[in-house]
Amino acid sequence: DGDITNNRGGEDCWLVKLNAATGVPAIKNIAAENIKVYPSISNGIVYVEMPAGYEAAQISLLSLQGQNMKLQDGQSGLKRTIQLGNMPAAAYMLQVLNKGSVRSFRIVYEP
């Protein structure tokens, strides 16, 4: 009811829903939370597992300076294997792009 006169701070909770009416779009794609990228520290191979609906997702690798590193992904399906063998040892951002949504994962390549 919005009454906060007896608010003592011990067990009170507020729930705020954001949607188009507030100018902030609601998050609709919970499936993106189920993307797995491992290991986060790799000696050459990184595995990406994605939920249904991500069969045609694009995977890209960016340096921490934002430079797009050339990946020969060319794969499709829900399980991908990314070869880092020709990359310099460094930290990278691996991005999974699917139908307008982007998820980023930090990985470290230590050959």
Side-chain angles (χ1 to χ4, degrees), residues 59-105:
I59 296 178
S60 60
L61 190 68
L62 302 173
S63 71
L64 294 184
Q65 292 76 31
Q67 179 184 4
N68 192 356
M69 309 303 285
K70 295 190 181 205
L71 271 185
Q72 294 181 355
D73 179 27
Q75 302 176 52
S76 62
L78 299 176
K79 293 185 179 184
R80 316 265 182 102
T81 302
I82 307 299
Q83 302 282 341
L84 302 174
N86 60 343
M87 304 289 172
Y92 295 96
M93 294 301 293
L94 185 139
Q95 290 188 328
V96 179
L97 298 91
N98 188 56
K99 299 178 185 173
S101 71
V102 178
R103 282 289 312 273
S104 297
F105 302 86

Side-chain angles (χ1 to χ4, degrees), residues 14-29:
W14 288 89
L15 175 64
V16 178
K17 291 186 177 182
L18 302 176
N19 61 30
T22 61
V24 179
I27 297 174
K28 296 179 183 174
N29 188 358

